[in-house]
Amino acid sequence: AAETKAAETTAAAESEKETAAAETEEATEAASEDIQLSDTSPLKIGLVCDLTGNEATTGELTQKSLEFAIKQFGDIGGKPVELVVEDAGGDAAAAADKVRKMVEEDEVQVVFGPTQAGQKASVVAYCDEAEVPLIFANGTPVYLFNTSSWLIGSGGANPQMTSVMADYVYNELGYRKVHILTMDNTGFRAFADDFNASFSKLGGEVVEEYYVPFSVGDWSSYFAAMSTDGIDGIMAWSTGATAISLWKSYNEMGMNEKLPITAILSSAFTDYYICSALEASGSGAAQDILGTLAPSSYCYDIDSPQNAEFIEKWTAEFGEIPNTNLSGLVYDAYRVVVEAVKATDGDTSAEALRDAMLAVDFTGVTGHMTFPATGAAARDTYVVEVVKLDDGSYNYSVVTCYNDVPPEGLQ
C-alpha cells in the first residue's frame, strides 16, 4: 500500500513537537512579554464581513474571534489596538466600498478581509491600488495572490485543502473512482477543479460531476442519476440551506447505504449548525453526517500547548469550546499582525508592516505557519471527522495532520 504524505511527515512532526514544546509555550505568550515599542501610536484595524445575509453566521463568528484575539493579546508593547467593523451584507461591491470607507475615512492600517471568494476578489483590487495590507484568515484562491503584492493569506490557499483530501481518500481510503457534487458557481467549481486535478494526478478518476444551481430545494434527481457500480464515494460541498437539503435528499433516496460522502470542504457543509439543523428536523441524515471526513485548518482537539492554552481561554470567555475552524484561524491571523508590529518596533507604515507580516514564522493554535514565497502561508492542514460530543454538541475531531503543506498544495 502506498504511504501517504501524512504518514511520511507524522514521525518528524511528533519529534519536532517534543523538542519544541518549551519554545512554543513561550511563543504563545509572546504578545504578553514585557516589551515597550518605540512607536506607541494606536494601530487601527478594519474588518469587513457578512453580518447580514446568508453568511451572517460566518461573519458573526469572524468578528467574535477577532475581538477575542485583540482582547487576549492586549496592547502590543504599549501600542493600543482599535477595531473598525463593517458589514458587507453578502455583496462583493459593498465589501469593496466598505473597505474603501475604512481606509480613506477611518484610516485603518490593516484590513481583515471577507471569507467569501467573490468578495475577496473585489477587496483585493482596492487594497492593491491603495497599498494597504490585506489579511485573509481562511483559504483563498491561488490566482488572487498573483494579482496583488499586498495580500497576506494567513489561511493559506485552496489547493492545500483539496490536495490533502485527494491524498487521503486515494492513499488512506483506497478510493479510485468518485463523483463530484457541488454548487454551480465560480468558488465552488474552483475547489472541485482543484480536487479533481490532485486526485487525477494520483491516479484517481472523477466519473461524474454535478454542478447544481443555488435555487435547488431537493437533490433527489441528482442522487437518482448517479451511477454506483464501481464508485467508491461522493466528494461533495454545499453550504447553508442547500447543504441541509443535500443531506436530507441523500438520506431519503437511500444513497447513504450505497455511497459515502466525503467533504471537499467543511465550511457550512458539515459544521455544527448544519448537524444541529438536521437533528432538529428529525431527519435521519443527522446520523449520516456523523463520521464524515473533511479537510480543515483548525480543530479544537489539536494536540499542542498553544491550542490547549487557547481552548482554556476561549472556554473561559464563552463557556464552550470552539466549534468551527474560524476561531483558530482568525486568532492566528491576528497573531501575524502582532508579531509583525513587534518586529518593526511599532512602525505600522504600510510597506514595513506588510514585509514584516510576510516574514513571520511561528507555531500557533492552528499549527506551524510561514510564508515561503508568495503572500499565501504554508501551514499545517488537517483531515477531521464530524463527531457528537458528550454534551450533545457537534464538532470535529482530528484524524491526521499534514505538516507544512505549501500554498500550491501537495505535489
Side-chain angles (χ1 to χ4, degrees):
E3 292 185 355
T4 66
K5 293 178 179 61
E8 292 171 359
T9 57
T10 298
E14 290 302 317
S15 175
E16 290 174 6
K17 283 181 181 180
E18 291 176 6
T19 57
E23 296 177 11
T24 53
E25 284 191 68
E26 293 175 2
T28 58
E29 301 173 356
S32 61
E33 291 175 356
D34 188 16
I35 62 172
Q36 185 68 30
L37 302 177
S38 297
D39 183 346
T40 57
S41 58
L43 171 65
K44 298 190 74 172
I45 294 175
L47 167 65
V48 61
C49 57
D50 289 345
L51 298 175
T52 56
N54 292 336
E55 298 293 335
T57 300
T58 300
E60 290 165 0
L61 179 57
T62 302
Q63 180 179 356
K64 173 182 176 178
S65 301
L66 184 54
E67 289 174 345
F68 172 76
I70 292 172
K71 177 180 178 179
Q72 293 302 316
F73 281 95
D75 288 357
I76 308 171
K79 179 184 282 292
V81 179
E82 300 174 8
L83 178 63
V84 179
V85 181
E86 293 287 348
D87 177 21
D91 183 81
D97 288 341
K98 294 300 177 66
V99 171
R100 183 184 300 274
K101 178 259 182 188
M102 288 192 293
V103 171
E104 298 179 6
E105 297 181 22
D106 299 317
E107 298 182 337
V108 302
Q109 296 148 295
V110 182
V111 173
F112 276 68
T115 59
Q116 306 307 312
Q119 295 179 30
K120 286 184 176 187
S122 64
V123 169
V124 165
Y126 170 74
C127 286
D128 193 61
E129 174 188 340
E131 298 186 344
V132 176
L134 170 64
I135 297 176
F136 287 151
N138 67 332
T140 298
V142 171
Y143 80 91
L144 286 177
F145 294 99
N146 299 325
T147 66
S148 174
S149 59
W150 292 91
L151 176 55
I152 297 94
S154 64
N158 292 354
Q160 288 163 312
M161 295 286 194
T162 52
S163 66
V164 160
M165 208 67 246
D167 184 86
Y168 191 84
V169 299
Y170 186 89
N171 285 312
E172 286 296 312
L173 301 185
Y175 286 9
R176 294 298 180 265
K177 293 185 177 182
V178 300
H179 298 322
I180 282 178
L181 178 65
T182 190
M183 310 307 298
D184 188 10
N185 125 306
T186 302
F188 287 85
R189 281 180 174 268
F191 274 98
D193 289 346
D194 285 344
F195 171 85
N196 195 342
S198 295
F199 190 62
S200 298
K201 185 176 179 180
L202 289 167
E205 178 186 356
V206 173
V207 180
E208 298 169 8
E209 299 176 61
Y210 297 89
Y211 297 98
V212 182
F214 277 90
S215 58
V216 65
D218 186 340
W219 296 69
S220 298
S221 61
Y222 299 98
F223 287 118
M226 284 184 185
S227 60
T228 57
D229 289 345
I231 304 301
D232 297 305
I234 304 167
M235 304 302 303
W237 181 38
S238 182
T239 59
T242 60
I244 294 170
S245 61
L246 184 156
W247 282 106
K248 286 182 175 180
S249 295
Y250 174 70
N251 177 268
E252 292 163 1
M253 292 295 292
M255 191 61 78
N256 58 331
E257 299 179 357
K258 299 176 183 178
L259 293 177
I261 284 180
T262 301
I264 296 174
L265 195 66
S266 62
S267 178
F269 180 55
T270 49
D271 285 340
Y272 73 96
Y273 50 92
I274 302 297
C275 301
S276 297
L278 289 171
E279 184 178 84
S281 74
S283 171
Q287 289 299 312
D288 298 332
I289 201 170
L290 288 174
T292 299
L293 297 169
S296 184
S297 297
Y298 175 72
C299 185
Y300 86 96
D301 63 354
I302 291 173
D303 185 15
S304 71
Q306 297 87 354
N307 188 48
E309 181 181 1
F310 173 73
I311 293 296
E312 181 180 354
K313 291 178 178 179
W314 182 277
T315 304
E317 182 77 12
F318 301 114
E320 60 182 14
I321 60 175
N323 46 27
T324 75
N325 63 5
L326 271 176
S327 53
L329 283 171
V330 174
Y331 192 86
D332 274 355
Y334 181 68
R335 183 173 169 189
V336 170
V337 177
V338 172
E339 297 298 333
V341 170
K342 292 194 299 181
T344 64
D345 195 24
D347 180 1
T348 54
S349 59
E351 189 170 346
L353 193 57
R354 177 201 60 187
D355 292 349
M357 284 193 280
L358 292 175
V360 302
D361 184 342
F362 65 83
T363 299
V365 303
T366 63
H368 185 234
M369 181 193 306
T370 187
F371 294 85
T374 67
R379 53 177 303 117
D380 292 349
T381 305
Y382 303 87
V383 175
V384 299
E385 65 177 335
V386 178
V387 296
K388 192 172 186 179
L389 303 181
D390 291 340
D391 64 0
S393 65
Y394 291 92
N395 213 308
Y396 296 103
S397 182
V398 172
V399 175
T400 193
C401 175
Y402 289 69
N403 297 101
D404 296 316
V405 180
E408 62 273 18
L410 298 174
Q411 300 301 305

